[in-house]
Amino acid sequence: MNDHHAEAEPRFRIRARHTDTTVTVYQAYRPQIGGPAARTGRFPADWKRDRMTWIKPSFLWMMYRCGWGTKEGQETVLAVEIRRDGFEWALRHACLSHHVPALHGDQASWRRRLREAPARVQWDPERDLHHNPLPYRSLQLGLAGPAAARYADEWITGIEDVTPLAAEIHALVRTGELERATALLPKERPYPVADEVLAHLRA
């Protein structure tokens, strides 16, 4: 849930909109990319396949990152629905983006694993409506190489332009109508994933 006052929220847990078969992640692009993607359900030809792409299950973290869709190059906010089996494949094959000796051993071993992994994970502080950091973390999943290709070509089941929703919630936050803003937030629930899928990704 988007209950950002939950006292027992674990530090590392994926929260997302999800169904039995899909999970929703967020990205923000310039209109020349985001517009065609939302209209066709696929990224256009000039989407950079050779560049790491970061997907975020947290709507509010995406709003923090893109400034509610006001930052240059991030004006179009997309809700991308992808297959859960693809999402979990990426998690299984991901490496943490920072070195943790208990997980990786020495720095050289971690760098080698990071270089070879098709995906990487960061856990960044979740944000509230005012973009203040919260005491628990939000997953950011970076996809490169084969993971980015699978994301674009196999995992996506739908793309929605949620820029108007971002603008509406932002306007309510600016006028102090936080209850109304909260009511409009996507309903994110704990994502059910086997412990062993995340064991190598908890810092």
Side-chain angles (χ1 to χ4, degrees):
M1 298 283 187
N2 271 314
D3 179 0
H4 294 284
H5 301 287
E7 295 180 2
E9 186 67 35
R11 183 173 171 83
F12 300 105
R13 180 160 73 180
I14 301 172
R15 292 165 300 276
R17 285 177 58 195
H18 59 270
T19 70
D20 290 343
T21 58
T22 65
V23 57
T24 299
V25 296
Y26 298 94
Q27 296 192 286
Y29 287 100
R30 56 190 172 89
Q32 294 88 338
I33 296 289
R39 287 193 297 272
T40 65
R42 288 289 180 268
F43 289 110
D46 53 347
W47 185 77
K48 302 295 185 183
R49 290 173 171 270
D50 57 348
R51 183 182 301 171
M52 180 164 289
T53 188
W54 288 89
I55 59 177
K56 306 158 183 67
S58 167
F59 179 83
L60 278 178
W61 205 95
M62 185 71 257
M63 296 305 98
Y64 162 72
R65 180 68 180 83
C66 71
W68 299 101
T70 64
K71 291 185 179 179
E72 184 177 359
Q74 300 183 62
E75 299 93 343
T76 304
V77 184
L78 301 177
V80 185
E81 193 172 37
I82 64 174
R83 288 168 29 192
R84 279 175 53 164
D85 59 348
F87 181 65
E88 292 177 23
W89 180 92
L91 292 174
R92 290 177 185 277
H93 291 83
C95 179
L96 275 176
S97 60
H98 66 280
H99 177 237
V100 178
L103 292 176
H104 307 124
D106 58 27
Q107 288 265 359
S109 297
W110 165 70
R111 289 195 186 96
R112 182 172 59 254
R113 289 173 64 179
L114 187 66
R115 184 170 58 250
E116 295 171 353
R120 63 183 57 178
V121 159
Q122 292 180 187
W123 294 96
D124 296 308
E126 180 60 288
R127 303 284 163 162
D128 66 14
L129 284 166
H130 294 291
H131 295 166
N132 297 312
L134 295 168
Y136 50 91
R137 300 276 166 157
S138 178
L139 177 86
Q140 325 302 325
L141 181 59
L143 307 174
R150 291 185 183 203
Y151 171 63
D153 298 331
E154 302 174 18
W155 300 346
I156 294 174
T157 64
I159 302 178
E160 180 185 1
D161 183 348
V162 292
T163 311
L165 175 64
E168 184 178 4
I169 296 174
H170 187 203
L172 291 170
V173 172
R174 285 186 296 177
T175 57
E177 298 177 79
L178 300 187
E179 287 190 12
R180 289 181 62 195
T182 298
L184 292 176
L185 290 172
K187 300 301 183 284
E188 294 166 6
R189 300 175 288 130
Y191 181 84
V193 62
D195 187 68
E196 53 92 10
V197 175
L198 293 182
H200 66 296
L201 298 173
R202 292 194 181 101

